[in-house]
């Protein structure tokens, strides 16, 4: 029996993009029942959903009442995907209402549920919607962060439906049984490589592409986390369902990370951060001028991970004085791409950074920057070492979250 997916469609203009999502699901062999809200049919009609899914399409519990659809559809589902999830749908789902076939289905489904919100920025940022999203996430429901960009009309900002391929990727992970052990957790991931400007046309940079950081973000979203990514110069498609903040330099990354880390349950520094930047950036392009150039003078960049560890140390002290039994401390994870992967060097760096886990991965031999695969040894402050054999970066991402989730539980 192919897995049964319910595609709940809310009354938003992004409903048209969900025809593509439906195709991705059916072409993967899933049996998909589309359950639109009555108003969703104003955007995409019943005939489109019926023809694309090969299943009947109803919006109320009264059609075919003898089949008791308001409970049967939810009970027999392996996954419910709600896209676009409007502010109204999120509110009704959070309140446990059952006033149409889709909300009744949500109340009877015991399988994983995935919401892909799409709405105007003001609606997404409204305290009522924030509260509804928190309630849904705390119940283990996966609520994706909307993408930022052009919205209906002239507006732009956070609120766009994540790309259908990204929603599909999370759906597949949930159907494969991804654990939801990060439900209700906030995680922060840095990705990519920083660039330090020399002049308007040149910079000091590195080869990092952000592939591993984005794999970490996708895995965290599928495990139920509210994920924020601070991305330095990443040219990949945004990881669906995560909030992406863009930076260029190490100093910008420091500010963005320290800001977003407040209140995060875990921070994973997967970015390659430049250790040095030019002491001064030339406002004009530096010319050859027919003579050897002045040597480039460098100054040290802040060590973001070490700073996070120091901040945590201070906060722990304050918390312990206020509450002798504080909640779990923030979990800090560093990445180290190394040509010397010796245990001594790894342990020395782990201690120097003051983090809980250091993911040491070799550079060379077809592994490293921009490659689909990775391999690593994860050194923990408690002395344990977890080897992760060569495999897709998604596998290493899940191995890291396994270790983080164990420390958060
Ligand atoms: N890192 C950081 N801030 C820096 C440099 C590195 O937060 N200025 C973080 C990286 O994101 C990574 C970890 O520290 O998670 C290890 O990075 P790495 O470049 O290996 O460490 P360095 O301290 O720069 O050590 P070295 O370059 O001497 O190996």
């Amino acid at each position: 029996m192919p897995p049964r997916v319910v595609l709940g469609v809310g009354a938003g203009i992004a409903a048209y993009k969900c025809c593509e999502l439906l195709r991705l699901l059916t072409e993967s062999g899933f049996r998909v029942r589309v359950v639109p809200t009555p108003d969703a049919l104003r955007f995409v009609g019943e005939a489109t959903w019926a023809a694309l899914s090969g299943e009947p399409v109803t919006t109320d519990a009264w059609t075919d009442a003898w089949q008791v659809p308001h409970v049967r559809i939810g009970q027999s589902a392996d996954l419910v995907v709600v896209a676009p999830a409007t502010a109204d749908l999120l509110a009704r789902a959070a309140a446990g209402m059952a006033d149409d076939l889709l909300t009744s289905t949500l109340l009877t489904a015991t399988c994983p549920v995935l919401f892909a919100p799409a709405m105007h920025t003001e609606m997404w940022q409204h305290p009522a919607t924030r509260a509804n999203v928190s309630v849904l996430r705390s119940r283990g429901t996966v609520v994706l962060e909307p993408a930022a960009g052009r919205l209906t009309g002239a507006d732009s900002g956070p609120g766009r439906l994540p790309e259908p391929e990204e929603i599909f990727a999370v759906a597949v992970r949930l159907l494969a049984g991804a654990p939801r052990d990060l439900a209700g957790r906030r995680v922060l991931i840095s990705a990519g490589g920083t660039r330090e400007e020399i002049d308007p046309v040149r910079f000091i940079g590195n080869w990092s592409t952000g592939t591993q950081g984005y794999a970490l973000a996708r895995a965290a979203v599928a495990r139920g986390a509210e994920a924020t990514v601070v991305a330095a110069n990443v040219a990949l498609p945004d990881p669906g369902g995560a909030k992406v903040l863009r930076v260029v330099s190490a100093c910008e990354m420091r500010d963005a990370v320290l800001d977003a880390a407040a209140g995060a349950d875990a921070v994973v520094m997967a970015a390659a951060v430049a250790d040095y930047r030019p002491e001064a950036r030339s406002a004009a392009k530096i010319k050859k001028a027919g003579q050897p150039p002045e040597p480039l003078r460098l100054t040290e960049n802040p060590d973001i991970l070490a700073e996070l560890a120091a901040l945590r140390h201070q906060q722990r002290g304050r918390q312990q004085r206020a509450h002798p039994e504080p909640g779990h401390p923030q979990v800090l994870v560093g990445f180290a791409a190394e040509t010397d992967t010796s245990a001594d060097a790894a342990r020395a760096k782990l201690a120097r950074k003051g983090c809980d886990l250091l993911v040491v991965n070799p550079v060379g031999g077809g592994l490293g920057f921009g490659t689909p695969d990775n391999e690593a040894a994860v050194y923990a402050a408690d002395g344990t070492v977890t080897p992760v054999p060569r495999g897709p970066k998604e596998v290493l991402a899940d191995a890291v979250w396994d270790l983080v989730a164990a420390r958060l539980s």
Side-chain angles (χ1 to χ4, degrees):
M1 269 290 272
R4 286 167 173 270
V5 178
V6 172
L7 176 59
V9 184
I13 182 65
Y16 80 92
K17 291 189 185 169
C18 297
C19 299
E20 182 59 29
L21 175 61
L22 173 56
R23 280 206 87 98
L24 291 168
L25 291 165
T26 53
E27 282 170 10
S28 300
F30 305 134
R31 197 171 155 192
V32 188
R33 173 84 189 238
V34 181
V35 183
T37 62
D39 280 346
L41 295 181
R42 292 170 182 258
F43 291 105
V44 178
E46 180 194 330
T48 303
W49 298 122
L52 288 176
S53 67
E55 297 262 342
V57 175
T58 44
T59 61
D60 61 71
W62 311 113
T63 311
D64 297 327
W66 62 275
Q67 289 185 328
V68 203
H70 73 289
V71 292
R72 192 185 49 76
I73 294 173
Q75 282 170 341
S76 58
D78 296 301
L79 174 72
V80 180
V81 183
V82 182
T86 58
D88 176 68
L89 248 179
L90 292 171
R92 288 191 291 135
M97 290 174 72
D99 49 353
D100 57 21
L101 188 57
L102 177 53
T103 44
S104 305
T105 298
L106 287 168
L107 270 188
T108 51
T110 52
C111 61
V113 177
L114 167 63
F115 284 93
M119 64 195 75
H120 266 72
T121 305
E122 294 83 351
M123 288 185 162
W124 174 248
Q125 290 175 344
H126 194 283
T129 307
R130 307 307 317 142
N132 292 329
V133 169
S134 295
V135 166
L136 291 167
R137 283 184 174 147
S138 70
R139 292 182 192 146
T141 302
V142 178
V143 183
L144 303 180
E145 286 288 313
R150 183 76 192 268
L151 304 170
T152 322
D155 298 338
S156 69
R160 271 172 75 88
L161 186 79
E163 290 305 315
E165 294 78 10
E166 292 287 339
I167 304 171
F168 172 71
V170 181
V172 169
R173 276 173 174 267
L174 290 174
L175 277 167
R180 274 171 290 158
D181 49 4
L182 296 178
R185 303 291 191 188
R186 287 184 53 204
V187 303
L188 173 64
I189 300 130
S190 71
T194 61
R195 291 179 182 177
E196 313 301 320
E197 278 189 89
I198 299 169
D199 69 12
V201 295
R202 305 177 181 95
F203 60 83
I204 301 171
N206 59 70
W207 291 110
S208 177
T209 59
T211 315
Q212 184 64 67
Y214 277 26
L216 281 155
R218 288 196 176 90
V221 166
R223 295 170 82 135
E226 178 184 345
T228 301
V229 183
V230 176
N233 312 299
V234 180
L236 304 168
D238 280 358
K243 183 172 166 187
V244 181
L245 307 170
R246 293 184 194 289
V247 296
V248 174
S249 65
C251 289
E252 285 173 20
M253 176 166 276
R254 173 193 174 272
D255 292 348
V257 165
L258 291 193
D259 193 38
D265 296 291
V267 183
V268 180
M269 287 291 299
V273 185
D275 289 328
Y276 297 95
R277 66 180 183 279
E279 211 169 65
R281 172 191 182 275
S282 168
K285 183 182 171 192
I286 300 168
K287 292 290 189 185
K288 262 189 297 199
Q291 56 202 13
E294 288 291 310
L296 196 60
R297 297 178 70 86
L298 299 177
T299 187
E300 200 167 342
N301 273 328
D303 188 322
I304 308 167
L305 185 55
E307 229 178 296
L308 286 168
L311 272 173
R312 179 179 67 169
H313 186 70
Q314 286 168 11
Q315 275 159 8
R316 247 189 217 171
R318 276 201 297 274
Q319 263 175 9
Q320 269 165 2
R321 281 191 294 279
H323 311 283
E325 282 180 38
H328 71 81
Q330 188 174 66
V331 177
L332 294 177
V333 184
F335 264 71
E338 303 283 7
T339 47
D340 168 12
T341 53
S342 70
D344 284 351
R347 289 207 175 91
K349 189 175 275 193
L350 177 70
R352 183 158 52 82
K353 298 281 179 179
C355 53
D356 302 290
L357 300 167
L358 187 71
V359 185
V360 178
N361 55 303
V363 175
L367 292 174
F369 301 112
T371 60
D373 286 355
N374 215 342
E375 95 182 30
V378 187
Y379 288 79
D382 62 15
T384 55
V385 184
T386 309
V388 183
R390 188 175 182 149
K393 286 184 172 167
E394 288 72 21
V395 173
L396 177 56
D398 272 315
V400 170
W401 291 125
D402 287 345
L403 294 166
V404 170
R407 280 157 179 78
L408 288 173
S409 64

